[in-house]
Amino acid sequence: MNTDPTRERILHGLITLYILKELVKRPMHGYELQKSMYETTGQSLPQGSIYILLKSMKEKGYVTAESAVNDKGQQLTIYHITEEGKKFLCNHAEALLLARKIIDDLLSTVNLIEYKN
């Protein structure tokens, strides 16, 4: 696994935004968020990392958490996005659009290099 700190910070930031985006749709527990991330990316998050991010988001006021019991009697923590979390997500729209342009340009160059080889 790549342990480059810059890469890790970028991924944590993107995953944080992804989690907030998912919570706009509806409240979810950690496993549902992890499953959604896997379905979108085809990549599993390292064990427990989503809960570390959720804890950090809760401390920053981006999400709230409530305890619930599912139909199997299991204790769950359900996360809800807050108004502060919605603002945080929306405040990143411009940066995400710029990142998309840069990524598209980078991939175009990579494709060009691979095509020549």
Side-chain angles (χ1 to χ4, degrees), residues 87-99:
K87 271 194 254 178
F88 180 80
L89 178 60
C90 291
N91 286 341
H92 285 80
E94 191 175 315
L96 289 168
L97 288 170
L98 175 61

Side-chain angles (χ1 to χ4, degrees), residues 29-97:
H29 56 78
Y31 177 75
E32 288 175 304
L33 289 163
Q34 238 174 304
K35 185 177 173 188
S36 172
M37 176 70 75
Y38 180 79
E39 289 170 354
T40 299
T41 66
Q43 300 278 323
S44 294
L45 296 175
Q47 184 79 18
S49 63
I50 198 152
Y51 297 102
I52 294 167
L53 292 170
L54 286 164
K55 180 181 178 197
S56 173
M57 286 188 274
K58 185 178 174 196
E59 290 169 355
K60 292 174 182 172
Y62 302 155
V63 300
T64 58
E66 71 172 301
S67 293
V69 178
N70 68 11
D71 52 358
K72 296 178 184 174
Q74 298 167 316
Q75 189 74 27
L76 302 173
T77 302
I78 307 294
Y79 295 91
H80 302 260
I81 191 168
T82 63
E83 287 303 313
E84 192 64 30
K86 289 176 185 177
K87 271 194 254 178
F88 180 80
L89 178 60
C90 291
N91 286 341
H92 285 80
E94 191 175 315
L96 289 168
L97 288 170

Side-chain angles (χ1 to χ4, degrees), residues 1-9 11-12 46:
M1 177 178 220
N2 189 336
T3 58
D4 174 18
T6 301
R7 180 181 183 275
E8 293 300 312
R9 266 196 323 275
L11 286 176
H12 283 161

Side-chain angles (χ1 to χ4, degrees), residues 17-28:
L17 294 172
Y18 181 85
I19 290 169
L20 291 172
K21 186 263 314 177
E22 287 298 288
L23 293 176
V24 167
K25 295 179 192 175
R26 67 181 176 85
M28 294 184 190

